[in-house]
């Protein structure tokens, strides 16, 4: 695999983080909206059981997920956010010290707590290292380290950890999203509006991925992440539709390619596909293409996601509803 382009410079932009959960007090648009579980009914069932102290459903869910790495990472990340996850995973590890599922759930729960300021990051890193030792082929413990590095670590750590994730699963969907979010925060260095390393990396990753891979949408994710940074630093309007960010020739080409790819995509079972659908709908809405956006909103249904609708510190529920109403003519 070719090496990733280097990250240049040292500055970082304090901006609203990508890929988070909906803010407190945001009313969902319907069942499943702003739920990190998305449309995974088995995951929601296991999570509800875990919250009630019933653990077997989560244990069985992880067992049957197997080495579907994107689905495994998605499910473990959501389960790890439950308040009781860390206590249960600790008990599970005591009962089965060699359990890779227990080890990685405990590690990701520690990561979640560290990112919320409730745990020391070094303890979370130690838990991820222990989980990685239990399952050397699993990218998920390394993904936990990537979550920490994306927010707390220097860029050399981000690149090093991402390389370990990618070595185990070259198409790690969530891992690429975190990398692009961090890379988008690099300064443009006085180059043109459509010239930034995050766009180059996203297009390279999309080109190298298999034809049916959802990584095809990465260039649009890169544009959304870059807008997030520009708006946070006052270099773009807080209204993305008025920013002109998606009006340049490169943006129009990327948007056309991604929409055409979606029209032909036959593998509609990826666990994080609704995140891609929301990015597509967001970009089409911002580019003033309501008819095409309408098709995406129909496919999204109730599964709105906070990112990218929350970018520029907007209320994601209101932003999603406004864009959807405009596209559907309501």
């Amino acid at each position: 695999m070719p090496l990733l382009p280097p990250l240049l410079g040292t500055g970082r932009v304090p901006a609203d983080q990508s890929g988070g959960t909906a803010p407190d007090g945001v009313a969902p648009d319907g069942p499943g909206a702003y739920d990190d579980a998305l449309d995974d009914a088995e995951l929601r069932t296991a999570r509800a059981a875990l919250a009630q102290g019933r653990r077997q459903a989560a244990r069985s869910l992880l067992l049957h997920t197997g080495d579907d790495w994107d689905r495994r990472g998605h499910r473990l990340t959501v389960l790890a956010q439950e308040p009781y996850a860390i206590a249960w995973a600790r008990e599970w590890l005591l009962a089965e010290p060699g359990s890779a599922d227990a080890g990685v759930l405990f590690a990701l729960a520690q990561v979640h707590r560290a990112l919320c300021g409730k745990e020391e990051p070094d303890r979370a890193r130690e838990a991820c290292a222990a989980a990685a030792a239990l399952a050397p082929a699993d990218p998920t413990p390394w993904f936990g380290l990537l979550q920490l590095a994306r927010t707390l670590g220097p860029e050399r750590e981000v690149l090093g950890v991402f390389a370990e994730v990618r070595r185990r699963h070259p198409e790690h969907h969530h891992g690429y999203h975190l990398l692009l979010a961090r890379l988008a925060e690099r300064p443009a260095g006085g180059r043109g509006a459509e010239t930034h390393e995050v766009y180059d990396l996203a297009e390279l990753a999309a080109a190298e991925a298999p034809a049916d891979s959802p990584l095809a949408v990465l260039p649009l994710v890169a544009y959304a992440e870059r807008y997030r940074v520009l708006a946070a630093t006052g270099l773009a309007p807080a209204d993305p539709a008025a920013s002109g960010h998606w009006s340049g020739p490169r943006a129009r080409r990327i948007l056309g390619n991604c929409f055409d790819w979606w029209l032909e995509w036959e593998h509609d079972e990826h666990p994080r596909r609704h995140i891609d659908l929301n990015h597509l709908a967001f970009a089409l809405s911002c580019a003033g293409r309501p008819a095409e956006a309408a098709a995406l909103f129909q496919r999204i249904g109730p599964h709105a996601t906070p990112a990218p609708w929350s970018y520029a510190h907007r209320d994601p529920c209101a932003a999603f509803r406004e864009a959807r109403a405009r596209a559907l003519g309501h």
Side-chain angles (χ1 to χ4, degrees):
M1 286 177 244
L3 294 174
L4 295 170
L7 296 183
L8 304 177
T10 57
R12 289 195 61 194
V13 176
D16 42 328
Q17 297 283 301
S18 66
T21 56
D24 291 340
V26 174
D29 195 68
Y34 311 114
D35 183 348
D36 286 342
L38 301 173
D39 65 339
D40 192 330
E42 292 178 293
L43 174 57
R44 289 199 302 271
T45 298
R47 181 182 60 186
L50 184 60
Q52 296 169 4
R54 295 183 287 113
R55 307 162 183 173
Q56 186 55 40
R59 195 175 190 276
S60 178
L61 180 74
L62 296 178
L63 175 65
H64 290 97
T65 303
D67 61 359
D68 183 344
W69 298 129
D70 278 344
R71 193 173 306 277
R72 178 174 171 80
H74 170 63
R75 287 175 163 176
L76 278 161
T77 298
V78 172
L79 290 174
Q81 294 171 1
E82 281 300 299
Y84 300 107
I86 194 163
W88 174 54
R90 184 182 288 113
E91 292 176 8
W92 188 4
L93 269 176
L94 289 173
E96 299 178 40
S99 171
D101 288 345
V104 73
L105 179 59
F106 179 75
L108 292 194
Q110 291 275 52
V111 167
H112 177 68
R113 287 175 56 81
L115 292 175
C116 292
K118 298 177 180 178
E119 182 60 88
E120 289 296 324
D122 283 345
R123 293 188 65 178
R125 293 186 181 96
E126 291 169 3
C128 288
L134 289 172
D138 186 357
T140 315
W142 292 95
F143 171 66
L145 289 171
L146 183 60
Q147 288 179 286
L148 289 169
R150 183 266 178 273
T151 301
L152 304 174
E155 35 185 60
R156 65 178 180 276
E157 181 183 346
V158 174
L159 285 177
V161 174
F162 178 76
E164 294 292 342
V165 172
R166 189 170 180 249
R167 184 162 68 87
R168 290 162 174 81
H169 181 35
E171 299 171 54
H172 200 287
H173 188 274
H174 203 163
Y176 262 108
H177 278 232
L178 290 184
L179 180 68
L180 294 184
R182 178 64 181 264
L183 184 58
E185 296 169 2
R186 305 307 312 134
R191 293 174 289 175
E194 292 199 300
T195 305
H196 191 279
E197 58 194 320
V198 72
Y199 304 145
D200 300 335
L201 173 59
E203 291 201 76
L204 175 64
E208 291 182 343
D212 63 349
S213 170
L215 295 190
V217 183
L218 284 180
L220 279 188
V221 175
Y223 262 82
E225 293 296 346
R226 186 62 186 153
Y227 168 73
R228 171 180 60 85
V229 175
L230 292 172
T233 54
L235 298 176
D239 179 2
S243 68
H245 187 65
W246 287 265
S247 64
R250 187 177 191 178
R252 292 197 304 270
R253 172 179 58 80
I254 285 173
L255 184 50
N257 290 344
C258 289
F259 185 71
D260 290 345
W261 173 87
W262 173 72
L263 289 174
E264 298 178 2
W265 190 31
E266 298 178 353
H267 301 277
D268 198 24
E269 71 282 348
H270 192 276
R272 286 170 46 87
R273 67 187 178 279
H274 285 289
I275 293 171
D276 292 326
L277 295 179
N278 276 268
H279 273 89
L280 271 166
F282 178 75
L284 288 164
S285 299
C286 294
R289 296 167 65 168
E292 292 161 306
L296 272 299
F297 284 114
Q298 295 284 5
R299 182 61 64 89
I300 289 167
H303 300 292
T305 59
W309 304 104
S310 63
Y311 289 176
H313 302 289
R314 296 186 304 158
D315 177 336
C317 183
F320 178 84
R321 283 177 170 168
E322 179 183 345
R324 185 182 62 182
R326 188 166 56 245
L328 299 178
H330 293 170

